[in-house]
Amino acid sequence: MAATTDLGPIQTNATSNPPPNKQIFILSGQSNMAGRGGVLKKLHRWDGVVPPEAQPHPSIFRLSAKLHWEVAHEPLHADIDSKKTCGVGPGMAFANGVRERVGTVALVPCAVGGTAIREWARGEKLYEDMVKRARHSVKDGGEIRAILWFQGESDTSTEHDADAYQGNMEAFVANVRRDLALPSLPIIQVALASGIKYIEKVREAQLGMRVENVVCVDAKGLELKEDNLHLTTQAQVILGQMLADAYLTHFAPPLKSKPST
């Protein structure tokens, strides 16, 4: 599939190796991270509309399900959350928002729709797959800069799950940092925009976490699709830009000042 950018046409389905100094970001969580923007529910297909902020760029790559690097394009999670129809998520807007500052951006999609936090516990398939993909991403160089995490809607249906969310999330952060040998790995999580009965309990846990190098951006108020669960395409773009701002503000290396003349 070819796409056109301001740099001309680029091939978005071709295997291509990013440079060894790539900056790696793990995208994880459930459906709103995997992307449902533009998915037509009744037709079970994506409308194919890619906003300007989410367009491919030669300096943005993704790790495929088969562990091959390729130029990134929407839908980022099509071969990861493969049992569902994927559309626009926040990942490409995030990448376009940070690439001028950080250089080559390498995205590692790992999100799967409908998954609860307990399914991301150490030893569970989703967690182990994420760690495997993250480890593979640095085999040829590069640094894992952050995990972008958007999950929790599946934990809002019972009081028990909502009450357990903060402890489960803190365990997730500790485990992934240990297993990747990155004790200070930044985590940027998204506070829920939607949920069921106990959404406010989960949001309170997300917004109230006091763990070093964990920051939260709040998706509440962003436009939802008619299902009142998934973000619209434009809302996903806004969220991606919010995530980019959070990374650049809290974690990106400082800009080098130009020498005075």
Side-chain angles (χ1 to χ4, degrees):
M1 183 177 80
T4 301
T5 71
D6 53 357
L7 299 179
I10 61 173
Q11 198 68 21
T12 57
N13 62 351
T15 299
S16 180
N17 290 323
N21 64 342
K22 58 189 180 290
Q23 307 298 289
I24 301 165
F25 297 90
I26 313 298
L27 311 179
S28 206
Q30 57 181 117
S31 57
N32 271 315
M33 178 58 80
R36 300 291 187 265
V39 173
L40 306 172
K41 185 176 180 181
K42 292 181 180 179
L43 299 177
H44 299 287
R45 65 178 177 85
W46 174 47
D47 64 12
V49 176
V50 180
E53 301 88 344
Q55 289 289 329
H57 190 275
S59 65
I60 303 174
F61 295 81
R62 72 180 286 274
L63 189 66
S64 74
K66 294 183 178 180
L67 302 179
H68 299 306
W69 289 111
E70 61 185 26
V71 176
H73 61 90
E74 296 287 10
L76 282 174
H77 280 81
D79 60 348
I80 301 295
D81 192 12
S82 57
K83 294 181 181 179
K84 305 287 178 66
T85 303
C86 294
V88 174
M92 286 300 296
F94 166 82
N96 276 307
V98 301
R99 62 178 168 77
E100 288 189 7
R101 176 88 165 264
V102 308
T104 299
V105 178
L107 303 174
V108 182
C110 298
V112 177
T115 54
I117 186 71
R118 64 182 177 274
E119 297 177 79
W120 293 92
R122 188 190 227 166
E124 297 292 333
K125 184 179 187 308
L126 291 174
Y127 177 89
E128 298 301 331
D129 284 351
M130 177 188 67
V131 169
K132 175 185 175 182
R133 288 173 59 73
R135 288 173 174 165
H136 184 87
S137 73
V138 296
K139 280 183 64 176
D140 298 319
E143 296 181 72
I144 299 174
R145 288 300 188 182
I147 292 178
L148 310 185
W149 175 260
F150 191 172
Q151 188 278 332
E153 294 94 342
S154 292
D155 294 271
T156 64
S157 57
T158 72
E159 188 171 15
H160 174 271
D161 288 346
D163 284 340
Y165 193 85
Q166 183 165 341
N168 286 332
M169 186 62 195
E170 289 173 352
F172 170 85
V173 172
N175 287 336
V176 75
R177 285 173 169 173
R178 185 182 307 117
D179 290 339
L180 295 179
L182 296 169
S184 299
L185 177 64
I187 315 285
I188 307 176
Q189 67 169 334
V190 181
L192 297 181
S194 61
I196 310 177
K197 189 174 182 181
Y198 296 100
I199 179 176
E200 291 304 326
K201 278 202 169 192
V202 174
R203 281 176 48 79
E204 183 180 350
Q206 293 170 327
L207 292 164
M209 279 187 70
R210 298 292 180 263
V211 178
E212 183 182 6
N213 282 358
V214 176
V215 300
C216 190
V217 301
D218 195 349
K220 189 172 184 178
L222 293 180
E223 184 182 23
L224 297 172
K225 296 167 62 178
E226 60 184 16
D227 60 9
N228 289 315
L229 176 64
H230 297 113
L231 298 179
T232 65
T233 295
Q234 193 54 41
Q236 288 283 18
V237 166
I238 294 170
L239 178 61
Q241 294 170 332
M242 292 166 63
L243 289 164
D245 288 343
Y247 177 74
L248 295 175
T249 298
H250 295 282
F251 303 119
L255 286 169
K256 294 180 181 179
S257 57
K258 296 181 180 179
S260 55
T261 56

PDB file of all heavy atoms in Angstrom, residues 192-219:
ATOM      1  N   LEU A 192      -9.032   6.985  31.741  1.00  0.00           N
ATOM      2  CA  LEU A 192     -10.129   6.551  30.886  1.00  0.00           C
ATOM      3  C   LEU A 192     -11.062   7.673  30.450  1.00  0.00           C
ATOM      4  O   LEU A 192     -11.387   8.576  31.223  1.00  0.00           O
ATOM      5  CB  LEU A 192     -10.961   5.491  31.606  1.00  0.00           C
ATOM      6  CG  LEU A 192     -10.259   4.188  31.969  1.00  0.00           C
ATOM      7  CD1 LEU A 192     -11.249   3.240  32.663  1.00  0.00           C
ATOM      8  CD2 LEU A 192      -9.664   3.519  30.733  1.00  0.00           C
ATOM      9  N   ALA A 193     -11.516   7.540  29.213  1.00  0.00           N
ATOM     10  CA  ALA A 193     -12.564   8.419  28.689  1.00  0.00           C
ATOM     11  C   ALA A 193     -13.925   7.759  28.785  1.00  0.00           C
ATOM     12  O   ALA A 193     -14.960   8.429  28.670  1.00  0.00           O
ATOM     13  CB  ALA A 193     -12.273   8.762  27.229  1.00  0.00           C
ATOM     14  N   SER A 194     -13.941   6.429  28.962  1.00  0.00           N
ATOM     15  CA  SER A 194     -15.204   5.699  28.971  1.00  0.00           C
ATOM     16  C   SER A 194     -15.072   4.476  29.860  1.00  0.00           C
ATOM     17  O   SER A 194     -13.981   4.072  30.248  1.00  0.00           O
ATOM     18  CB  SER A 194     -15.574   5.264  27.536  1.00  0.00           C
ATOM     19  OG  SER A 194     -14.569   4.408  27.012  1.00  0.00           O
ATOM     20  N   GLY A 195     -16.197   3.891  30.182  1.00  0.00           N
ATOM     21  CA  GLY A 195     -16.215   2.708  31.028  1.00  0.00           C
ATOM     22  C   GLY A 195     -17.636   2.401  31.452  1.00  0.00           C
ATOM     23  O   GLY A 195     -18.597   2.962  30.922  1.00  0.00           O
ATOM     24  N   ILE A 196     -17.757   1.505  32.449  1.00  0.00           N
ATOM     25  CA  ILE A 196     -19.095   1.106  32.875  1.00  0.00           C
ATOM     26  C   ILE A 196     -19.353   1.664  34.276  1.00  0.00           C
ATOM     27  O   ILE A 196     -19.110   2.838  34.520  1.00  0.00           O
ATOM     28  CB  ILE A 196     -19.243  -0.437  32.788  1.00  0.00           C
ATOM     29  CG1 ILE A 196     -18.768  -0.915  31.397  1.00  0.00           C
ATOM     30  CG2 ILE A 196     -20.695  -0.872  32.966  1.00  0.00           C
ATOM     31  CD1 ILE A 196     -18.786  -2.410  31.197  1.00  0.00           C
ATOM     32  N   LYS A 197     -19.723   0.856  35.194  1.00  0.00           N
ATOM     33  CA  LYS A 197     -20.229   1.323  36.491  1.00  0.00           C
ATOM     34  C   LYS A 197     -19.168   1.987  37.360  1.00  0.00           C
ATOM     35  O   LYS A 197     -19.423   2.998  38.019  1.00  0.00           O
ATOM     36  CB  LYS A 197     -20.872   0.142  37.230  1.00  0.00           C
ATOM     37  CG  LYS A 197     -21.622   0.535  38.499  1.00  0.00           C
ATOM     38  CD  LYS A 197     -22.351  -0.664  39.068  1.00  0.00           C
ATOM     39  CE  LYS A 197     -23.146  -0.272  40.304  1.00  0.00           C
ATOM     40  NZ  LYS A 197     -23.855  -1.432  40.904  1.00  0.00           N
ATOM     41  N   TYR A 198     -17.966   1.418  37.366  1.00  0.00           N
ATOM     42  CA  TYR A 198     -16.954   1.868  38.320  1.00  0.00           C
ATOM     43  C   TYR A 198     -15.809   2.611  37.636  1.00  0.00           C
ATOM     44  O   TYR A 198     -14.663   2.550  38.078  1.00  0.00           O
ATOM     45  CB  TYR A 198     -16.423   0.682  39.133  1.00  0.00           C
ATOM     46  CG  TYR A 198     -17.491   0.046  39.987  1.00  0.00           C
ATOM     47  CD1 TYR A 198     -18.129  -1.117  39.584  1.00  0.00           C
ATOM     48  CD2 TYR A 198     -17.896   0.640  41.180  1.00  0.00           C
ATOM     49  CE1 TYR A 198     -19.128  -1.695  40.352  1.00  0.00           C
ATOM     50  CE2 TYR A 198     -18.886   0.073  41.965  1.00  0.00           C
ATOM     51  CZ  TYR A 198     -19.505  -1.097  41.542  1.00  0.00           C
ATOM     52  OH  TYR A 198     -20.504  -1.654  42.314  1.00  0.00           O
ATOM     53  N   ILE A 199     -16.129   3.351  36.591  1.00  0.00           N
ATOM     54  CA  ILE A 199     -15.104   4.078  35.849  1.00  0.00           C
ATOM     55  C   ILE A 199     -14.355   5.072  36.732  1.00  0.00           C
ATOM     56  O   ILE A 199     -13.136   5.216  36.642  1.00  0.00           O
ATOM     57  CB  ILE A 199     -15.694   4.787  34.609  1.00  0.00           C
ATOM     58  CG1 ILE A 199     -14.599   5.566  33.862  1.00  0.00           C
ATOM     59  CG2 ILE A 199     -16.864   5.666  34.965  1.00  0.00           C
ATOM     60  CD1 ILE A 199     -15.059   6.226  32.586  1.00  0.00           C
ATOM     61  N   GLU A 200     -15.069   5.767  37.628  1.00  0.00           N
ATOM     62  CA  GLU A 200     -14.412   6.795  38.429  1.00  0.00           C
ATOM     63  C   GLU A 200     -13.398   6.196  39.397  1.00  0.00           C
ATOM     64  O   GLU A 200     -12.385   6.819  39.715  1.00  0.00           O
ATOM     65  CB  GLU A 200     -15.435   7.659  39.167  1.00  0.00           C
ATOM     66  CG  GLU A 200     -16.254   8.556  38.237  1.00  0.00           C
ATOM     67  CD  GLU A 200     -15.391   9.460  37.362  1.00  0.00           C
ATOM     68  OE1 GLU A 200     -14.315   9.898  37.829  1.00  0.00           O
ATOM     69  OE2 GLU A 200     -15.783   9.720  36.205  1.00  0.00           O
ATOM     70  N   LYS A 201     -13.647   4.972  39.866  1.00  0.00           N
ATOM     71  CA  LYS A 201     -12.670   4.316  40.743  1.00  0.00           C
ATOM     72  C   LYS A 201     -11.387   4.022  39.985  1.00  0.00           C
ATOM     73  O   LYS A 201     -10.286   4.202  40.518  1.00  0.00           O
ATOM     74  CB  LYS A 201     -13.249   3.015  41.319  1.00  0.00           C
ATOM     75  CG  LYS A 201     -14.155   3.217  42.528  1.00  0.00           C
ATOM     76  CD  LYS A 201     -14.247   1.945  43.347  1.00  0.00           C
ATOM     77  CE  LYS A 201     -14.929   2.249  44.689  1.00  0.00           C
ATOM     78  NZ  LYS A 201     -14.789   1.112  45.631  1.00  0.00           N
ATOM     79  N   VAL A 202     -11.507   3.547  38.756  1.00  0.00           N
ATOM     80  CA  VAL A 202     -10.318   3.256  37.963  1.00  0.00           C
ATOM     81  C   VAL A 202      -9.608   4.552  37.598  1.00  0.00           C
ATOM     82  O   VAL A 202      -8.372   4.642  37.681  1.00  0.00           O
ATOM     83  CB  VAL A 202     -10.684   2.449  36.704  1.00  0.00           C
ATOM     84  CG1 VAL A 202      -9.469   2.276  35.790  1.00  0.00           C
ATOM     85  CG2 VAL A 202     -11.230   1.075  37.096  1.00  0.00           C
ATOM     86  N   ARG A 203     -10.359   5.564  37.222  1.00  0.00           N
ATOM     87  CA  ARG A 203      -9.749   6.862  36.904  1.00  0.00           C
ATOM     88  C   ARG A 203      -9.009   7.434  38.115  1.00  0.00           C
ATOM     89  O   ARG A 203      -7.916   7.987  37.971  1.00  0.00           O
ATOM     90  CB  ARG A 203     -10.814   7.856  36.429  1.00  0.00           C
ATOM     91  CG  ARG A 203     -11.235   7.679  34.982  1.00  0.00           C
ATOM     92  CD  ARG A 203     -12.366   8.632  34.592  1.00  0.00           C
ATOM     93  NE  ARG A 203     -12.094   9.992  35.001  1.00  0.00           N
ATOM     94  CZ  ARG A 203     -11.284  10.841  34.361  1.00  0.00           C
ATOM     95  NH1 ARG A 203     -10.660  10.446  33.257  1.00  0.00           N
ATOM     96  NH2 ARG A 203     -11.098  12.057  34.801  1.00  0.00           N
ATOM     97  N   GLU A 204      -9.590   7.293  39.280  1.00  0.00           N
ATOM     98  CA  GLU A 204      -8.939   7.787  40.498  1.00  0.00           C
ATOM     99  C   GLU A 204      -7.595   7.090  40.706  1.00  0.00           C
ATOM    100  O   GLU A 204      -6.596   7.718  41.073  1.00  0.00           O
ATOM    101  CB  GLU A 204      -9.846   7.551  41.704  1.00  0.00           C
ATOM    102  CG  GLU A 204      -9.292   8.093  43.017  1.00  0.00           C
ATOM    103  CD  GLU A 204     -10.221   7.842  44.185  1.00  0.00           C
ATOM    104  OE1 GLU A 204     -11.374   7.428  43.964  1.00  0.00           O
ATOM    105  OE2 GLU A 204      -9.785   8.060  45.332  1.00  0.00           O
ATOM    106  N   ALA A 205      -7.574   5.782  40.447  1.00  0.00           N
ATOM    107  CA  ALA A 205      -6.314   5.035  40.573  1.00  0.00           C
ATOM    108  C   ALA A 205      -5.295   5.513  39.542  1.00  0.00           C
ATOM    109  O   ALA A 205      -4.100   5.683  39.854  1.00  0.00           O
ATOM    110  CB  ALA A 205      -6.581   3.543  40.410  1.00  0.00           C
ATOM    111  N   GLN A 206      -5.749   5.728  38.321  1.00  0.00           N
ATOM    112  CA  GLN A 206      -4.833   6.148  37.262  1.00  0.00           C
ATOM    113  C   GLN A 206      -4.268   7.547  37.525  1.00  0.00           C
ATOM    114  O   GLN A 206      -3.062   7.772  37.403  1.00  0.00           O
ATOM    115  CB  GLN A 206      -5.561   6.121  35.916  1.00  0.00           C
ATOM    116  CG  GLN A 206      -5.941   4.712  35.471  1.00  0.00           C
ATOM    117  CD  GLN A 206      -6.868   4.693  34.275  1.00  0.00           C
ATOM    118  OE1 GLN A 206      -7.705   5.583  34.099  1.00  0.00           O
ATOM    119  NE2 GLN A 206      -6.743   3.659  33.437  1.00  0.00           N
ATOM    120  N   LEU A 207      -5.143   8.458  37.883  1.00  0.00           N
ATOM    121  CA  LEU A 207      -4.713   9.837  38.104  1.00  0.00           C
ATOM    122  C   LEU A 207      -3.948  10.003  39.411  1.00  0.00           C
ATOM    123  O   LEU A 207      -3.200  10.968  39.578  1.00  0.00           O
ATOM    124  CB  LEU A 207      -5.934  10.764  38.095  1.00  0.00           C
ATOM    125  CG  LEU A 207      -6.625  10.914  36.737  1.00  0.00           C
ATOM    126  CD1 LEU A 207      -8.013  11.524  36.899  1.00  0.00           C
ATOM    127  CD2 LEU A 207      -5.777  11.756  35.786  1.00  0.00           C
ATOM    128  N   GLY A 208      -4.127   9.053  40.330  1.00  0.00           N
ATOM    129  CA  GLY A 208      -3.518   9.188  41.661  1.00  0.00           C
ATOM    130  C   GLY A 208      -2.245   8.398  41.858  1.00  0.00           C
ATOM    131  O   GLY A 208      -1.685   8.401  42.961  1.00  0.00           O
ATOM    132  N   MET A 209      -1.749   7.712  40.825  1.00  0.00           N
ATOM    133  CA  MET A 209      -0.520   6.926  40.983  1.00  0.00           C
ATOM    134  C   MET A 209       0.658   7.836  41.305  1.00  0.00           C
ATOM    135  O   MET A 209       0.854   8.862  40.670  1.00  0.00           O
ATOM    136  CB  MET A 209      -0.218   6.118  39.722  1.00  0.00           C
ATOM    137  CG  MET A 209      -1.009   4.825  39.628  1.00  0.00           C
ATOM    138  SD  MET A 209      -0.473   3.795  38.233  1.00  0.00           S
ATOM    139  CE  MET A 209       1.150   3.282  38.818  1.00  0.00           C
ATOM    140  N   ARG A 210       1.415   7.445  42.307  1.00  0.00           N
ATOM    141  CA  ARG A 210       2.593   8.198  42.713  1.00  0.00           C
ATOM    142  C   ARG A 210       3.817   7.302  42.601  1.00  0.00           C
ATOM    143  O   ARG A 210       4.460   6.949  43.579  1.00  0.00           O
ATOM    144  CB  ARG A 210       2.428   8.722  44.152  1.00  0.00           C
ATOM    145  CG  ARG A 210       1.275   9.682  44.346  1.00  0.00           C
ATOM    146  CD  ARG A 210       1.510  11.009  43.621  1.00  0.00           C
ATOM    147  NE  ARG A 210       0.399  11.939  43.800  1.00  0.00           N
ATOM    148  CZ  ARG A 210      -0.586  12.112  42.947  1.00  0.00           C
ATOM    149  NH1 ARG A 210      -0.617  11.389  41.828  1.00  0.00           N
ATOM    150  NH2 ARG A 210      -1.547  12.983  43.175  1.00  0.00           N
ATOM    151  N   VAL A 211       4.111   6.925  41.374  1.00  0.00           N
ATOM    152  CA  VAL A 211       5.252   6.068  41.071  1.00  0.00           C
ATOM    153  C   VAL A 211       6.204   6.868  40.205  1.00  0.00           C
ATOM    154  O   VAL A 211       5.780   7.540  39.260  1.00  0.00           O
ATOM    155  CB  VAL A 211       4.806   4.782  40.347  1.00  0.00           C
ATOM    156  CG1 VAL A 211       6.015   3.919  39.997  1.00  0.00           C
ATOM    157  CG2 VAL A 211       3.820   3.990  41.206  1.00  0.00           C
ATOM    158  N   GLU A 212       7.481   6.794  40.513  1.00  0.00           N
ATOM    159  CA  GLU A 212       8.470   7.569  39.783  1.00  0.00           C
ATOM    160  C   GLU A 212       8.405   7.279  38.289  1.00  0.00           C
ATOM    161  O   GLU A 212       8.298   6.124  37.857  1.00  0.00           O
ATOM    162  CB  GLU A 212       9.878   7.248  40.303  1.00  0.00           C
ATOM    163  CG  GLU A 212      10.968   8.075  39.631  1.00  0.00           C
ATOM    164  CD  GLU A 212      12.364   7.704  40.120  1.00  0.00           C
ATOM    165  OE1 GLU A 212      12.489   6.736  40.891  1.00  0.00           O
ATOM    166  OE2 GLU A 212      13.317   8.388  39.707  1.00  0.00           O
ATOM    167  N   ASN A 213       8.462   8.350  37.496  1.00  0.00           N
ATOM    168  CA  ASN A 213       8.470   8.262  36.035  1.00  0.00           C
ATOM    169  C   ASN A 213       7.202   7.642  35.463  1.00  0.00           C
ATOM    170  O   ASN A 213       7.219   7.069  34.372  1.00  0.00           O
ATOM    171  CB  ASN A 213       9.704   7.507  35.523  1.00  0.00           C
ATOM    172  CG  ASN A 213      10.946   8.370  35.537  1.00  0.00           C
ATOM    173  OD1 ASN A 213      10.894   9.539  35.897  1.00  0.00           O
ATOM    174  ND2 ASN A 213      12.074   7.796  35.179  1.00  0.00           N
ATOM    175  N   VAL A 214       6.102   7.768  36.190  1.00  0.00           N
ATOM    176  CA  VAL A 214       4.784   7.417  35.657  1.00  0.00           C
ATOM    177  C   VAL A 214       3.961   8.689  35.629  1.00  0.00           C
ATOM    178  O   VAL A 214       3.756   9.328  36.670  1.00  0.00           O
ATOM    179  CB  VAL A 214       4.076   6.346  36.500  1.00  0.00           C
ATOM    180  CG1 VAL A 214       2.666   6.096  35.964  1.00  0.00           C
ATOM    181  CG2 VAL A 214       4.865   5.036  36.488  1.00  0.00           C
ATOM    182  N   VAL A 215       3.522   9.088  34.431  1.00  0.00           N
ATOM    183  CA  VAL A 215       2.665  10.262  34.306  1.00  0.00           C
ATOM    184  C   VAL A 215       1.369   9.850  33.620  1.00  0.00           C
ATOM    185  O   VAL A 215       1.282   8.795  32.991  1.00  0.00           O
ATOM    186  CB  VAL A 215       3.349  11.405  33.523  1.00  0.00           C
ATOM    187  CG1 VAL A 215       4.629  11.844  34.208  1.00  0.00           C
ATOM    188  CG2 VAL A 215       3.631  10.995  32.091  1.00  0.00           C
ATOM    189  N   CYS A 216       0.360  10.697  33.764  1.00  0.00           N
ATOM    190  CA  CYS A 216      -0.966  10.366  33.257  1.00  0.00           C
ATOM    191  C   CYS A 216      -1.504  11.522  32.424  1.00  0.00           C
ATOM    192  O   CYS A 216      -1.373  12.693  32.815  1.00  0.00           O
ATOM    193  CB  CYS A 216      -1.892  10.073  34.434  1.00  0.00           C
ATOM    194  SG  CYS A 216      -3.495   9.368  33.962  1.00  0.00           S
ATOM    195  N   VAL A 217      -2.083  11.204  31.278  1.00  0.00           N
ATOM    196  CA  VAL A 217      -2.839  12.186  30.510  1.00  0.00           C
ATOM    197  C   VAL A 217      -4.310  11.776  30.580  1.00  0.00           C
ATOM    198  O   VAL A 217      -4.624  10.587  30.613  1.00  0.00           O
ATOM    199  CB  VAL A 217      -2.365  12.282  29.048  1.00  0.00           C
ATOM    200  CG1 VAL A 217      -0.901  12.673  28.979  1.00  0.00           C
ATOM    201  CG2 VAL A 217      -2.585  10.992  28.301  1.00  0.00           C
ATOM    202  N   ASP A 218      -5.181  12.744  30.628  1.00  0.00           N
ATOM    203  CA  ASP A 218      -6.599  12.479  30.871  1.00  0.00           C
ATOM    204  C   ASP A 218      -7.401  12.569  29.574  1.00  0.00           C
ATOM    205  O   ASP A 218      -7.462  13.621  28.940  1.00  0.00           O
ATOM    206  CB  ASP A 218      -7.136  13.484  31.889  1.00  0.00           C
ATOM    207  CG  ASP A 218      -8.483  13.069  32.468  1.00  0.00           C
ATOM    208  OD1 ASP A 218      -9.091  12.123  31.950  1.00  0.00           O
ATOM    209  OD2 ASP A 218      -8.918  13.697  33.452  1.00  0.00           O
ATOM    210  N   ALA A 219      -8.003  11.450  29.196  1.00  0.00           N
ATOM    211  CA  ALA A 219      -8.790  11.410  27.958  1.00  0.00           C
ATOM    212  C   ALA A 219     -10.251  11.804  28.169  1.00  0.00           C
ATOM    213  O   ALA A 219     -11.012  11.868  27.201  1.00  0.00           O
ATOM    214  CB  ALA A 219      -8.736  10.015  27.348  1.00  0.00           C
TER     215      ALA A 219
END
